[in-house]
Each structure stands twice: as C-alpha cells, then as structure tokens.
C-alpha cells in the first residue's frame, strides 16, 4: 500500500500556541506535528510536514507534492475560505486530500463557513483539535488501502 502523507499547513498556523486557545488549543505547530507524526506511524503512514505564510509557496508545494506523497492532509488556515489559487493548485496535485481545521469553522463567523477546497476533498474534519488529524489520517489510510486492493 502507498503510505506517504503530506501534511500541509497554511498561513498563521506557525503561530499556534500564540493564537486563541479556545479555538486552536495550546500546542505549538511543532508540538502538533510531533503528535500527528505519532498518529501517522500508528497507522503505518509516513508523514511529511510543510508550512508557509506565502500563498504562492503553498501553491508551488501543491504542484510538487505528488512527487513525494500519495495523499494529503491540508489545513490552509484563512486561505481555505477564499483562495481559488490554492483550490486550483490542489486540483493540479491530483492527490486524495482531507481538509482539516482545528476549530469548528462551520459554527464560527459566516465567512469561515465557506471553503473553496471542500468539493475537491474526500472529507472535512473540523472542531476536534489535534485529534482531528488522527481522524483525517484514518480517512486517508482507508482511501489508500482501498486503492491498493
Ligand atoms: C483554521 C480555521 C481558519 O478559519 C483560520 O483562519 C485558521 C485556522 C483551523 O484550523 O481551525 O487560521 O484553519
């Protein structure tokens, strides 16, 4: 089974630990990545992490990601809600993707309820904090296992 999963974080996710803990918890991004790495290994998945605050860099990463990954978890932060460029770059990647948000975006402000990437994703996991990444990895694993049959 193909087992390489890229975990891509977008704008302001490097500020985890300094953002509202009520929405985002208290882990820093590197602490979150340690946990997500552990969740992935428990499922036999090989994770690789990326974060940027630059939209074009996020798009370039999506252009290249199929060279090193078989599936994607992506949390583009606020870009989720309006970046058609990221939506198009995700389509270029051609990879199965799960949209992840730490907070419950569908229960927050009106503008956060819009996701321009959702239609391209296998599923969206939101409002479960770091545990949501475990669920998202489970969904990616299920998809890769089915594809291998
Ligand atoms: C977020 C939700 C977005 O609305 C917000 O802009 C973020 C983080 C989340 O993980 O809950 O930066 O994607």
């Amino acid at each position: 089974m193909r087992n390489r999963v890229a975990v891509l974080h977008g704008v302001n996710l490097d500020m985890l630990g300094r953002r509202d803990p009520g929405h985002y918890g208290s882990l820093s991004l590197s602490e979150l990545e340690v946990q997500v790495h552990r969740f992935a290994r428990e499922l036999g998945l090989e994770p690789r992490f990326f974060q940027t605050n630059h939209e074009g860099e996020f798009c370039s990463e999506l252009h290249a990601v199929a060279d090193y990954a078989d599936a994607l978890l992506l949390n583009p932060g606020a870009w989720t809600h309006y970046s058609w460029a990221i939506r198009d770059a995700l389509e270029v990647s051609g990879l199965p993707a799960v949209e992840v948000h730490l907070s419950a975006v569908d229960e927050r402000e009106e503008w956060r309820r819009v996701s321009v990437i959702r239609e391209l994703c296998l599923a969206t996991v939101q409002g479960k904090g770091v545990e949501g990444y475990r669920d998202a990895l489970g969904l990616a694993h299920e998809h890769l296992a089915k594809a291998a049959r």
Side-chain angles (χ1 to χ4, degrees):
M1 184 186 113
R2 293 177 177 274
N3 72 340
R4 302 167 305 166
V5 179
V7 181
L8 308 183
H9 284 106
V11 62
N12 294 322
L13 272 310
D14 59 332
M15 290 292 106
L16 287 178
R18 291 169 55 186
R19 298 184 70 182
D20 180 353
H23 286 304
Y24 305 118
S26 53
L27 294 183
S28 67
L29 180 61
S30 47
E31 288 165 343
L32 179 139
E33 286 178 350
V34 167
Q35 290 226 30
V36 175
H37 190 276
R38 190 161 47 80
F39 297 155
R41 295 306 303 140
E42 281 167 11
L43 289 165
L45 297 171
E46 203 58 70
R48 179 160 150 181
F49 298 94
F50 175 80
Q51 189 275 333
T52 180
N53 290 321
H54 302 277
E55 188 179 4
E57 278 180 17
F58 199 87
C59 291
S60 295
E61 194 67 17
L62 285 168
H63 298 166
V65 71
D67 294 340
Y68 69 83
D70 307 306
L72 283 179
L73 260 56
L74 77 168
N75 181 351
W79 290 328
T80 306
H81 312 302
Y82 64 87
S83 175
W84 297 105
I86 286 173
R87 184 246 175 251
D88 284 351
L90 174 59
E91 191 170 37
V92 169
S93 82
L95 292 183
V98 182
E99 176 185 0
V100 188
H101 301 286
L102 291 155
S103 67
V105 283
D106 285 350
E107 291 162 26
R108 298 180 63 193
E109 302 93 321
E110 202 73 49
W111 60 270
R112 287 189 209 272
R113 297 181 195 170
V114 177
S115 166
V116 300
I117 60 168
R118 197 157 297 175
E119 55 153 353
L120 296 176
C121 294
L122 297 172
T124 300
V125 180
Q126 56 171 295
K128 295 182 160 182
V130 67
E131 283 298 316
Y133 287 78
R134 192 204 291 272
D135 294 0
L137 287 164
L139 292 164
H141 180 270
E142 210 175 284
H143 182 88
L144 292 168
K146 260 190 208 147
R149 275 190 219 132

